[in-house]
Amino acid sequence: MNQRIRLQFRCLTRSLRFPSLLFLGVACHAGARCLLQSVLGGSTGLLQHSSNESEREQGYCDTEDRLAPTLDFWTLSSENLIAVFPVDPVKENYVRKVENCIFSIAFPTPFKSRVHLVAVSKNVLEDLLDLDVSVSETDDFVQLVSGGKIVFGSVPLTHRYGGHQFGVWTDQLGDGRAHLIGIYTNRQGEKWELQLKGSGKTPYSRSGDGRAVLRSSVREFLCSEAMHALGIPTSRAASLVVSDDDVWRDQFNSGNIKKERGAVVLRVAKSWFRIGSLEILAHYGELDLMRILLDFIIQEHFPLIDVNEPNRYVDFFSTVVSGTAQLIALWMSVGFAHGVCNTDNFSLLSITIDYGPFGFMEAYNPDFVPNTSDDERRYKIGNQANVGMFNLNKLLQALNLLLDSSQKQLAAQILGEYPDLYYTRFRKLFKAKLGLLGEEEEDDELVAFLLHLMGETEADFTMTFRQLSEITESQLLQLNIPQQFWALKTVSKHELFPTWVSKYLSRLKSNINDSDSKRRKRMISVNPRAEELDG
């Protein structure tokens, strides 16, 4: 593999401000009011009657600006998926081997105890779902986002997929604790798939209990919205509820099982299809179904690709390769380590999904692993780009079943370009973090040199870059690092720091039509500040 793909760095984001998040303490009752039992028999009339378009014709969202004050006229629909894909004919909700379908119908399992709404994202509710944030104070909302109620007209679905986990094919996986409760089309015409995580057992639960705990749910809620705020493609989090139900977990895989509280996150994304969605179909030779799924994904989510073009699958693969390279470079630019970079956790739309074990590096360490079960450090942060290559290769192996010989050769060439695509994006991001304009031969060395110093001194990566954004060139020239620039001061203890500063200041002089104030403003816009939370 191209050695440049191994260019490494590290970064930290301890905490971020979330002005768009509202933390609430609304006590609610978790009564299950499922109105769709008849749909299990296949009643498509209900779906058509309750589509978003029908509700708009009845007067909902008559104006561009209006937000729904209640859930009364707010609708979800699964019709877009059920009309295209064969659904698992088995209606009972028990763990089983599922074949020749993309989805199984399964209803969430309501909590037995009372449910509390902990947090909502105002931006997600209002900007994506056309809901006034005041709706979150209603009992209907809490029941919806906790799995106690399904919006009339939608059918809850669980997705069948497989995957390579830690490099090994593990066959059928699927939504083991997640339910797709419907698709919402907002006033901008955007389609958003709403999924509950932690909402109970499904046909894909295997040995799991179908639940999520508050600890991990809080992390997913916060990180989803933080990643979005950082400009990184990601699923979003609309709400977080917690119950008094007991959920038992061995947090550190140490054999010490403890009681925790069950929680549910309402996640939102354009699509939840992932590499494993295609792998499972390829593995079982369900090629006609794989063509249907691919054509659907292309038509819905890749508008620049002609679904009638013979080379559409090659074009699709090329887009995913490019998007994956961009996504992982963005992860690296903020020091994000996914922790479970399995093929079943890699989105075909190149967004960050499935926040299980994850972390932001503190001390520079290319071997940083946030997942305590990753004993071999396969998914250490310094290996994420290489894992991206591995996962894309598994995607290509699935697609090859649908390609002719010339298309296979072309797709292989596209995959071979991934290291350079990744490096180009990585390089651009880190040049921006250093405030460099234009192109100079020493740029790569300048970035690598700084990362080396940070590794040697174990400096805080996020704050080193942030403080480089705030310090003046005259302070750097004098090697006068004020105490408030504590991370940069740590790096300055290295004996080669003056050499790096000299090279850096010399390089900044080549920035055309630039000034120190412009440089600092530019760098501040791309280098987040990490702040400690009191208490």
Side-chain angles (χ1 to χ4, degrees):
M1 178 169 299
N2 191 318
Q3 187 174 2
R4 291 180 296 179
I5 199 173
R6 297 181 173 87
L7 184 62
Q8 299 166 334
F9 80 107
R10 63 171 297 276
C11 182
L12 159 71
T13 302
R14 288 196 191 90
S15 60
L16 295 168
R17 296 190 183 96
F18 301 101
S20 62
L21 306 184
L22 301 181
F23 290 83
L24 308 172
V26 182
C28 304
H29 299 285
R33 293 187 286 167
C34 297
L35 303 177
L36 297 178
Q37 297 300 329
S38 61
V39 180
L40 288 173
S43 175
T44 57
L46 288 174
L47 293 171
Q48 293 169 351
H49 175 73
S50 302
S51 67
N52 292 338
E53 189 62 35
S54 297
E55 294 296 347
R56 284 189 174 83
E57 291 172 359
Q58 295 173 26
Y60 169 58
C61 278
D62 291 329
T63 67
E64 186 85 359
D65 308 319
R66 186 175 175 186
L67 297 176
T70 70
L71 292 179
D72 292 343
F73 296 104
W74 185 85
T75 63
L76 299 174
S77 175
S78 307
E79 183 180 11
N80 194 42
L81 300 174
I82 293 177
V84 175
F85 302 115
V87 176
D88 180 8
V90 179
K91 302 301 189 293
E92 292 77 15
N93 188 10
Y94 64 91
V95 175
R96 60 184 180 271
K97 192 79 168 181
V98 180
E99 297 180 342
N100 297 307
C101 69
I102 305 297
F103 296 102
S104 297
I105 296 175
F107 281 78
T109 303
F111 288 116
K112 297 178 181 179
S113 63
R114 60 179 180 173
V115 180
H116 301 275
L117 182 65
V118 177
V120 295
S121 170
K122 183 174 185 291
N123 284 353
V124 173
L125 292 187
E126 296 190 345
D127 297 346
L128 305 187
L129 304 182
D130 298 337
L131 288 173
D132 191 283
V133 70
S134 63
V135 174
S136 64
E137 300 174 10
T138 66
D139 183 65
D140 278 350
F141 179 83
V142 176
Q143 291 200 49
L144 172 68
V145 302
S146 64
K149 173 182 178 179
I150 296 297
V151 172
F152 184 82
S154 186
V155 180
L157 301 173
T158 55
H159 178 34
R160 171 193 175 219
Y161 55 82
H164 281 80
Q165 297 191 324
F166 296 93
V168 178
W169 173 250
T170 50
D171 208 357
Q172 178 179 294
L173 297 168
D175 290 334
R177 54 176 176 170
H179 293 80
L180 177 64
I181 60 172
I183 301 174
Y184 179 73
T185 304
N186 67 19
R187 60 188 186 274
Q188 282 81 38
E190 301 169 335
K191 294 179 181 178
W192 293 97
E193 297 185 4
L194 279 66
Q195 185 187 80
L196 299 179
K197 181 177 179 180
S199 44
K201 285 188 176 182
T202 77
Y204 309 100
S205 294
R206 294 178 289 172
S207 60
D209 59 12
R211 292 302 187 190
V213 297
L214 180 60
R215 163 178 46 84
S216 60
S217 300
V218 168
R219 284 167 52 81
E220 170 150 6
F221 181 92
L222 292 177
C223 195
S224 298
E225 293 305 281
M227 294 284 272
H228 172 72
L230 289 169
I232 299 174
T234 178
S235 60
R236 304 292 301 277
S239 65
L240 168 64
V241 297
V242 62
S243 75
D244 293 327
D245 282 23
D246 295 339
V247 178
W248 297 88
R249 287 291 184 271
D250 181 358
Q251 181 178 355
F252 300 107
N253 298 310
S254 60
N256 185 18
I257 300 176
K258 293 185 177 181
K259 181 172 66 175
E260 301 189 50
R261 299 173 69 185
V264 173
V265 176
L266 174 58
R267 312 193 296 182
V268 180
K270 290 289 185 67
S271 172
W272 295 99
F273 290 126
R274 66 250 353 251
I275 292 177
S277 303
L278 298 174
E279 281 188 291
I280 192 72
L281 303 178
H283 182 78
Y284 285 100
E286 300 170 19
L287 302 189
D288 289 340
L289 186 52
M290 185 159 72
R291 288 188 184 90
I292 293 173
L293 177 56
L294 275 168
D295 288 345
F296 175 85
I297 293 172
I298 290 171
Q299 188 164 4
E300 288 289 316
H301 304 292
F302 294 80
L304 298 181
I305 300 176
D306 184 352
V307 74
N308 297 311
E309 166 63 42
N311 283 334
R312 61 189 180 279
Y313 300 149
V314 176
D315 295 338
F316 163 79
F317 181 65
S318 178
T319 305
V320 176
V321 168
S322 178
T324 300
Q326 172 72 4
L327 178 64
I328 297 179
L330 285 167
W331 286 356
M332 299 295 282
S333 73
V334 297
F336 175 78
H338 190 284
V340 277
C341 295
N342 302 323
T343 58
D344 56 290
N345 293 330
F346 261 51
S347 163
L348 291 173
L349 272 60
S350 303
I351 63 173
T352 313
I353 60 172
D354 293 358
Y355 290 89
F358 69 84
F360 293 89
M361 279 194 304
E362 296 190 18
Y364 178 71
N365 179 10
D367 292 330
F368 169 67
V369 177
N371 187 352
T372 57
S373 63
D374 189 1
D375 298 329
E376 297 181 356
R377 296 185 177 274
R378 175 181 178 83
Y379 296 146
K380 62 185 180 181
I381 193 168
N383 199 41
Q384 288 188 135
N386 291 328
V387 170
M389 181 81 163
F390 175 90
N391 291 349
L392 289 169
N393 184 53
K394 296 305 177 184
L395 172 60
L396 178 57
Q397 289 179 20
L399 292 176
N400 273 339
L401 298 177
L402 304 181
L403 304 181
D404 61 30
S405 58
S406 62
Q407 291 171 333
K408 290 178 182 177
Q409 184 177 7
L410 181 56
Q413 292 174 354
I414 291 170
L415 181 60
E417 295 168 357
Y418 167 82
D420 285 336
L421 284 173
Y422 168 76
Y423 174 72
T424 298
R425 287 161 170 78
F426 181 99
R427 183 173 184 270
K428 181 178 180 180
L429 288 168
F430 276 82
K431 284 184 59 179
K433 289 174 75 67
L434 284 178
L436 307 182
L437 302 176
E439 293 288 338
E440 298 290 341
E441 291 183 2
E442 70 270 18
D443 288 349
D444 293 355
E445 179 185 352
L446 196 62
V447 173
F449 193 174
L450 177 59
L451 298 180
H452 171 73
L453 299 184
M454 293 171 57
E456 292 277 312
T457 58
E458 298 185 350
D460 182 303
F461 190 79
T462 292
M463 290 309 294
T464 296
F465 273 100
R466 178 68 182 200
Q467 290 166 10
L468 274 174
S469 308
E470 297 171 345
I471 198 168
T472 65
E473 290 183 22
S474 61
Q475 287 174 314
L476 278 176
L477 180 63
Q478 299 169 19
L479 298 177
N480 176 23
I481 311 298
Q483 188 59 44
Q484 69 263 29
F485 297 140
W486 50 270
L488 194 55
K489 201 171 187 68
T490 299
V491 184
S492 72
K493 295 177 181 178
H494 199 287
E495 61 181 357
L496 295 178
F497 182 70
T499 304
W500 181 84
V501 169
S502 177
K503 290 178 177 291
Y504 180 55
L505 293 178
S506 176
R507 173 62 178 86
L508 289 179
K509 291 179 180 178
S510 66
N511 284 347
I512 300 175
N513 297 324
D514 201 20
S515 66
D516 192 34
S517 61
K518 288 181 180 179
R519 171 195 66 85
R520 283 183 283 153
K521 183 178 181 180
R522 191 168 62 248
M523 290 175 64
I524 285 173
S525 71
V526 297
N527 289 309
R529 169 180 287 279
E531 296 183 3
E532 296 284 2
L533 291 177
D534 295 336

